[in-house]
Amino acid sequence: MANIDRNSVIDARNYISKLFAIHTKGDELAFFLASQIMVAHEANPNNWNLNFNLNGKFIRFNVGQEYCIQIYEHEILVLCLKDELPKDCKQSHTDFFFRGYTKGSNAINTANFNEAPQCLAKVPNSIGLVFNKNIVDWISAISESNTGFIKYAINHTHILPQMIGAHSVGAVKYLSEVTGIFLQNPSFAFKSITENENRTIKRLKNVSDTKLNELAKNHNSQPRKTGTSISIYIRSPYVIEQAKRIANGLCQDCGNTAPFLTKGTNEPFLEVHHVVPLSQGGEDTIENVVALCPNCHRKRHYG
């Protein structure tokens, strides 16, 4: 079972490329998703997210509180507005079927457009199109209706706190690489990066020193920079954990024991500092970091 680092473009490339390849031979699906992300970001840069499942099973684009595009191995779900679907998309087809819900029921799947109930209560007139094949043939036909769904949902619903922590800057970076389109992250990206970094580091506590050394050596030592309204550098969680293990609870400047234990993990609290700052071309490697107590860390920056 995979354990995804949502900040990692390498993980995104490894898993999302396989999801896309099941459904398309080219990059059409990546372009469709990227273009719809741009629509959402322009409408409200703080009210969407791209959820890359921690087990690599799916990628989900959310606008406000609502899911909008979901890509699984077995299907792709695209949310649209009924009234904005072209006439041909309302006919029965073998490439897709319709999905909706009634109160208290499971999903209702039907090939008959007129039999499909509304899909999401908070987006009136919404309907789900579930593609099992040939989505590329329909992208141009459904794009306008999906755009209508995005604009309504992003202006009438609000993203949930847990969705912020599920955002994947690695997936956004991967889409930018594939399409050549510079995609910005939501305004809350720094918070999501930190939460995902902490989640990955917590998982690494159970990894052996040998495996950790391997992971740290194999990651990209050139720090990845991602875009929101400001630039953010994404650090390697493997190097962070490795530096703390080497320090073994002692500040690598003053030599004193860490001043307190970290809540939750009960481990000595030390901060990992890049000797040559990432913003000045420093590498994200164990040779360029030290684990410091908070006082020594501040001295490095301001002393």
Side-chain angles (χ1 to χ4, degrees):
M1 183 176 290
N3 262 307
I4 300 298
D5 175 5
R6 289 189 173 119
N7 293 339
S8 170
V9 68
I10 296 174
D11 281 1
R13 188 182 302 119
N14 287 342
Y15 287 92
I16 297 175
S17 62
K18 293 175 183 176
L19 285 176
F20 285 177
I22 292 170
H23 300 284
T24 65
K25 294 181 179 179
D27 298 327
E28 297 90 348
L29 191 53
F31 274 99
F32 173 55
L33 184 55
S35 65
Q36 301 310 82
I37 286 173
M38 288 183 4
V39 169
H41 193 81
E42 183 176 349
N44 188 333
N46 203 40
N47 202 29
W48 66 272
N49 85 318
L50 190 60
N51 179 354
F52 179 22
N53 173 252
L54 290 173
N55 293 324
K57 298 297 185 182
F58 65 82
I59 183 168
R60 177 185 293 136
F61 172 41
N62 300 297
V63 284
Q65 189 179 334
E66 309 299 334
Y67 54 89
C68 176
I69 300 172
Q70 296 184 156
I71 303 171
Y72 291 83
E73 289 184 1
H74 63 284
E75 68 176 32
I76 297 175
L77 172 63
V78 181
L79 273 293
C80 295
L81 296 183
K82 287 186 174 182
D83 292 347
E84 296 184 16
L85 275 175
K87 183 177 180 180
D88 190 42
C89 292
K90 298 179 181 180
Q91 309 302 316
S92 295
H93 297 279
T94 58
D95 292 343
F96 64 86
F97 56 87
F98 304 101
R99 177 174 294 167
Y101 295 86
T102 55
K103 190 173 182 179
S105 75
N106 294 322
I108 295 176
N109 298 317
T110 175
N112 190 326
F113 175 82
N114 294 317
E115 291 179 357
Q118 181 168 288
C119 193
L120 297 176
K122 293 186 178 181
V123 184
N125 199 36
S126 59
I127 190 169
L129 274 66
V130 183
F131 292 86
N132 294 314
K133 60 180 180 178
N134 298 332
I135 186 173
V136 172
D137 296 339
W138 295 96
I139 286 176
S140 60
I142 65 174
S143 290
E144 184 175 343
S145 181
N146 179 246
T147 295
F149 177 94
I150 290 170
K151 290 181 176 179
Y152 186 93
I154 208 165
N155 287 313
H156 292 84
T157 69
H158 298 284
I159 194 167
L160 300 174
Q162 60 266 35
M163 297 168 77
I164 292 175
H167 177 68
S168 172
V169 297
V172 172
K173 179 66 174 176
Y174 168 70
L175 285 176
S176 293
E177 285 184 356
V178 171
T179 63
I181 300 170
F182 176 67
L183 296 175
Q184 295 201 67
N185 284 275
S187 303
F188 56 73
F190 181 76
K191 182 177 180 181
S192 66
I193 288 170
T194 302
E195 288 189 16
N196 283 309
E197 180 183 274
N198 290 339
R199 180 185 293 110
T200 301
I201 290 174
K202 185 176 180 180
R203 172 172 57 84
L204 291 173
K205 301 301 179 185
N206 298 320
V207 171
S208 68
D209 289 346
T210 301
K211 181 62 177 178
L212 181 63
N213 290 339
E214 178 187 339
L215 291 168
K217 287 178 181 178
N218 290 337
H219 90 101
N220 186 357
S221 63
Q222 295 301 315
R224 291 164 286 128
K225 185 167 65 173
T226 193
T228 60
S229 55
I230 59 174
S231 293
I232 302 169
Y233 287 94
I234 305 172
R235 307 180 303 169
S236 166
Y238 312 126
V239 171
I240 293 171
E241 174 64 14
Q242 193 178 30
K244 290 181 178 181
R245 289 193 191 183
I246 291 172
N248 196 28
L250 301 178
C251 173
Q252 291 181 297
D253 269 3
C254 67
N256 291 328
T257 302
F260 57 87
L261 299 179
T262 303
K263 187 183 295 184
T265 64
N266 208 36
E267 295 179 326
F269 181 84
L270 295 173
E271 299 173 338
V272 177
H273 169 78
H274 287 81
V275 179
V276 179
L278 301 179
S279 61
Q280 297 177 17
E283 292 192 333
D284 194 18
T285 61
I286 193 64
E287 293 79 15
N288 190 43
V289 296
V290 287
L292 306 174
C293 67
N295 282 341
C296 288
H297 196 187
R298 301 304 176 271
K299 286 180 183 178
R300 287 266 189 159
H301 281 283
Y302 308 114

